[in-house]
Amino acid sequence: MHECILYKKLKDDEVQCIACNHKCIIDENMKGICGVRKNVNGKLNLLVYGFIASENIDPIEKKPLYHFLPNTNTYSIGTVGCNFKCYFCQNYRTSQVRESIGKEVSPKEIVDRALKSGCKSISYTYNEPTIFAEFVKEVAVIARKKGIKNILVTNGYMSKECLDFLGNYIDAMNIDLKSSNEKFYNKICGAKLSPVLHTIKDAYDRGIHIEITTLIIPGENNSVQEFEHIAQFIAHIDRNIPWHISRFFPMYKMRDKEITSLDSLKKAESIGKKYLKNVYIGNVW
Ligand code: SF4
Ligand code: SF4
């Protein structure tokens, strides 16, 4: 266990985590929504510090990032837990797990492995990196010294405090904008839309390279109005920000849905291209 930095002490050994916008108030011996930050004797502890549940060398385009270090590999790591509960999560076997699993690894060891593998960057990905922000920071500081870039693949629900904490060490982010509809975020992800919009703008304003991804789910977020809203929101920040439109496959609690049709993806692409310079369809072979 490792004491968190992103939290406040409250009265009677209660604490408030400030890593993400849930801002959980946590009683002694309890965990926050993500399941990996626990109040132990009035101190918030990160249960997954160094416990890497997923670790791979991936092409950076798989994150997806198409405009950052193209044609390179990125050393990708993730833990268990997540601050969202997306019904369509492809990584639900780790993201929705609340026990620390995996091998304990030091920040220096992660950077050494990235260097040995020839990767130009480290990606904090697979589950939501915000929930293990303190570990991200320690890896990222060492990586930066060794000339390795740092990438967050995130749902964008991090707090301003978390972005302040990590931002100077993060070179690129792929941020999910899962929908422009508050109900979608509430019902399917267990979160709110507005903090995500805020993070996208904030990260851009800090000069971090950003790309946006939307998974198109039939009957949930594939209306013309939805595509218009998302594309317009991104364009309002910068028309050059890449938008990745990703194909949905039945998964986790959404196994009864159909695969996204090519027509739907092409519709999103054509609307996106009215407003944006870089629109890509993904997850299609
Ligand atoms: S990271 Fe978010 S979900 Fe987890 S304890 Fe902190 S505020 Fe709650
Ligand atoms: S935010 Fe990502 S990792 Fe977390 S539940 Fe949603 S899809 Fe899964």
Side-chain angles (χ1 to χ4, degrees):
M1 278 198 295
H2 187 95
E3 188 176 350
C4 298
I5 295 170
L6 293 166
Y7 81 103
K8 292 179 191 165
K9 289 180 184 251
L10 305 176
K11 59 177 173 45
D12 298 333
D13 278 347
E14 269 188 346
V15 300
Q16 181 171 31
C17 178
I18 55 169
C20 89
N21 278 293
H22 286 307
K23 299 266 171 93
C24 300
I25 294 178
I26 308 170
D27 282 338
E28 197 177 346
N29 222 23
M30 301 297 284
K31 297 174 190 170
I33 290 170
C34 57
V36 303
R37 298 169 78 86
K38 181 176 182 183
N39 181 344
V40 181
N41 298 326
K43 289 182 181 174
L44 193 62
N45 280 270
L46 178 57
L47 304 180
V48 293
Y49 184 96
F51 282 93
I52 302 305
S54 310
E55 185 171 14
N56 291 294
I57 297 166
D58 287 333
I60 198 163
E61 288 78 8
K62 204 174 159 187
K63 296 299 103 188
L65 287 175
Y66 284 10
H67 291 239
F68 186 78
L69 298 177
N71 303 313
T72 63
N73 285 331
T74 183
Y75 202 81
S76 302
I77 59 168
T79 70
V80 297
C82 191
N83 53 354
F84 280 18
K85 58 166 180 76
C86 308
Y87 291 176
F88 48 81
C89 183
Q90 296 189 357
N91 297 321
Y92 70 96
R93 286 191 181 86
T94 50
S95 77
Q96 301 307 306
V97 165
R98 297 295 184 254
E99 304 296 321
S100 297
I101 56 169
K103 310 152 267 177
E104 189 171 359
V105 186
S106 71
K108 182 179 175 302
E109 178 62 24
I110 296 287
V111 177
D112 285 347
R113 289 178 191 181
L115 282 168
K116 267 188 216 137
S117 65
C119 290
K120 304 285 181 224
S121 61
I122 296 173
S123 290
Y124 310 91
T125 177
Y126 304 126
N127 65 330
E128 174 50 43
T130 298
I131 68 169
F132 59 99
E134 290 85 357
F135 186 72
V136 170
K137 174 89 170 259
E138 292 199 21
V139 178
V141 168
I142 301 170
R144 174 67 60 86
K145 283 185 192 149
K146 300 283 183 183
I148 290 188
K149 305 285 188 196
N150 291 295
I151 296 167
L152 293 180
V153 180
T154 173
N155 58 31
Y157 215 60
M158 65 188 54
S159 62
K160 181 185 174 299
E161 293 90 333
C162 185
L163 205 46
D164 287 344
F165 177 67
L166 291 178
N168 285 344
Y169 294 91
I170 301 302
D171 301 286
M173 291 166 74
N174 185 297
I175 308 174
D176 280 346
L177 181 49
K178 296 171 191 286
S179 170
S180 64
N181 186 332
E182 190 66 56
K183 278 189 192 149
F184 180 103
Y185 268 91
N186 291 342
K187 184 182 92 172
I188 297 176
C189 309
K192 294 182 193 147
L193 168 64
S194 57
V196 179
L197 301 178
H198 191 269
T199 297
I200 292 170
K201 179 74 169 61
D202 194 355
Y204 176 85
D205 287 344
R206 289 170 196 249
I208 298 170
H209 173 85
I210 63 168
E211 304 194 16
I212 307 295
T213 298
T214 307
L215 182 74
I216 307 294
I217 306 172
E220 300 290 350
N221 64 352
N222 65 338
S223 68
V224 166
Q225 188 191 38
E226 183 100 39
F227 300 153
E228 288 273 348
H229 284 167
I230 294 174
Q232 285 173 16
F233 170 78
I234 300 169
H236 188 66
I237 297 173
D238 186 338
R239 291 187 64 215
N240 294 302
I241 295 172
W243 184 30
H244 300 267
I245 302 157
S246 190
R247 189 179 213 181
F248 162 84
F249 288 89
M251 188 64 70
Y252 189 36
K253 294 183 181 172
M254 281 195 165
R255 290 180 197 269
D256 54 334
K257 293 259 173 211
E258 307 222 323
I259 295 171
T260 321
S261 70
L262 278 178
D263 280 353
S264 190
L265 295 168
K266 284 182 183 158
K267 185 78 200 163
E269 182 187 37
S270 73
I271 290 172
K273 284 185 170 170
K274 285 200 300 180
Y275 303 99
L276 299 164
K277 290 191 179 155
N278 305 295
V279 181
Y280 305 101
I281 292 179
N283 252 0
V284 174
W285 296 279

